[in-house]
């Protein structure tokens, strides 16, 4: 059984490739350039979501697929991920792939903003296909606080309009472990899993954990959504994109990502990693 992993060099993909390899699975990473593939240390194929003609060769002879790609980007039109992943699903079906595990997002639903609405559209395309499917809908990743996507700034503080909203951030390695279980086993077909960490934290609490782990002060500075939106607009982001962000920030501040689930334990047999444990290893 050959498993193709797309997004193989991303936050989830690099963990997934390693976990599948360690499990003895026949894994093939899809990458856009050969240097990235060679660095993964596993078989790979060159393929590009923006060049759908490359997907047939990348998927040839495979049985299962992990579908993941970049999220929402600042644009005035439809999110490219919708076209990209729909094309990938069509190519997977044509190649004879029988099962797909898709990385989605907590809150994916028709009509939602940015990636949440985009994921819902892709999910519908997948569930209407002739392939078995499973959906993983993670919360935000703990890794985001080291990539800048968690609101961190060059000063090392966390800045954002999140208020006291709690978020059950999850380690991307735990999401990968859930995907490994679904890709290598027989359970989970036709199921959607919300994947969270074991606790829902405010960004102030996260700043305190970062302070302890990094040995330097890290603060959370709450800023009004309008102020942050004005900064992003001044940087050249499309006004409509920023308006959608404001709506999602309000949802986060209201607790839309605070749900704590048992998906990691249910799928892997172990508890999800705490933020403190993740930070100890990241700092080391």
């Amino acid at each position: 059984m050959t498993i193709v992993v797309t997004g193989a060099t991303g936050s989830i993909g690099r963990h997934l490739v390693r976990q599948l390899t360690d499990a003895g699975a026949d894994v093939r990473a899809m990458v856009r350039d050969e240097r990235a593939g060679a660095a993964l240390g596993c078989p790979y194929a060159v393929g590009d979501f923006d060049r759908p003609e490359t997907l047939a060769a990348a998927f040839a002879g495979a049985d299962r697929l992990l579908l993941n790609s970049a999220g929402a980007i600042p644009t005035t039109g439809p999110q490219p991920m919708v076209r990209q992943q729909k094309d990938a699903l069509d190519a997977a079906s044509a190649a004879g792939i029988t099962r797909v595990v898709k990385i989605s997002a907590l809150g994916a639903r028709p009509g939602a903003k940015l990636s949440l609405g985009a994921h819902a559209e892709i999910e519908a395309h997948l569930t209407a296909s002739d392939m078995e499917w499973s959906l993983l809908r993670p919360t935000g990743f703990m890794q985001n606080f080291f990539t800048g996507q968690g609101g961190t700034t060059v000063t090392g503080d966390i800045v954002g309009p999140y208020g006291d909203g709690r978020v059950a951030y999850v380690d991307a390695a735990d999401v990968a472990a859930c995907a490994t279980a679904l890709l290598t086993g027989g359970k989970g077909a036709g199921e959607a899993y919300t994947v969270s960490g074991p606790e829902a934290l405010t960004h102030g609490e996260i700043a305190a954990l970062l302070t302890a782990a990094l040995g330097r002060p890290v603060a959370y500075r709450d800023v009004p959504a309008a102020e942050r939106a004005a900064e992003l607009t001044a940087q050249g982001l499309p006004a409509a994109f920023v308006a959608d962000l404001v709506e999602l920030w309000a949802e986060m501040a209201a607790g839309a990502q605070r749900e704590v689930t048992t998906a990691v334990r249910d799928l892997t047999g172990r508890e999800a990693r705490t933020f403190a444990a993740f930070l100890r290893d990241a700092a080391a």
Side-chain angles (χ1 to χ4, degrees):
M1 179 176 69
T2 300
I3 301 169
V4 174
V5 176
T6 64
T9 60
S11 295
I12 295 172
R14 59 189 177 86
H15 291 292
L16 178 58
V17 165
R18 186 183 316 116
Q19 292 173 16
L20 288 171
T21 300
D22 290 346
D26 179 9
V27 59
R28 180 191 305 160
M30 191 182 90
V31 295
R32 284 184 292 180
D33 67 81
E34 294 191 7
R35 288 175 298 177
L40 290 171
C42 71
Y44 65 90
V46 176
D48 190 335
F49 284 120
D50 285 323
R51 297 171 56 214
E53 69 277 8
T54 67
L55 300 178
F59 295 165
D63 305 283
R64 297 188 174 189
L65 172 69
L66 185 284
L67 181 62
N68 191 23
S69 68
I73 63 172
T75 180
T76 56
Q79 284 296 320
M81 64 186 292
V82 175
R83 169 186 50 78
Q84 293 168 343
Q85 293 198 23
K86 282 185 175 182
D87 285 347
L89 289 171
D90 292 344
S93 178
I97 286 175
T98 57
R99 185 166 186 180
V100 176
V101 175
K102 171 177 162 48
I103 304 297
S104 183
L106 173 62
R109 61 196 185 278
K113 302 300 183 183
L114 301 179
S115 61
L116 301 186
H119 279 304
E121 189 173 345
I122 300 161
E123 287 181 1
H125 194 72
L126 171 57
T127 58
S129 75
D130 60 352
M131 298 176 288
E132 278 191 351
W133 54 268
S134 299
L135 304 175
L136 292 176
R137 296 171 176 158
T139 60
F141 300 146
M142 295 175 182
Q143 283 79 358
N144 290 353
F145 291 87
F146 293 89
T147 63
Q149 297 180 50
T152 51
T153 69
V154 292
T155 65
D157 289 338
I158 304 171
V159 179
Y162 313 126
D164 293 325
R166 294 184 175 273
V167 179
Y169 284 102
V170 64
D171 184 352
D174 282 344
V175 182
C178 291
T180 295
L182 292 171
L183 289 163
T184 59
K187 65 180 179 180
E191 298 289 338
Y193 299 89
T194 297
V195 188
S196 80
E199 58 198 342
L201 302 170
T202 67
H203 286 80
E205 291 169 342
I206 292 169
L209 289 173
L210 283 164
T211 296
L214 300 178
R216 60 174 174 79
V218 177
Y220 170 57
R221 293 192 285 114
D222 193 63
V223 299
E227 178 181 325
R228 183 65 180 134
E231 292 174 354
L232 295 178
T233 303
Q235 293 171 14
L237 272 66
F241 178 84
V242 174
D244 288 347
L245 281 177
V246 169
E247 187 168 322
L248 293 179
W249 291 334
E251 292 181 6
M252 181 182 291
Q257 294 193 40
R258 70 180 299 156
E259 181 182 4
V260 173
T261 74
T262 60
V264 174
R265 183 178 69 220
D266 296 341
L267 288 171
T268 72
R270 61 169 177 79
E271 297 297 329
R273 202 175 194 195
T274 66
F275 214 130
F278 165 78
L279 288 175
R280 281 196 297 271
D281 287 349

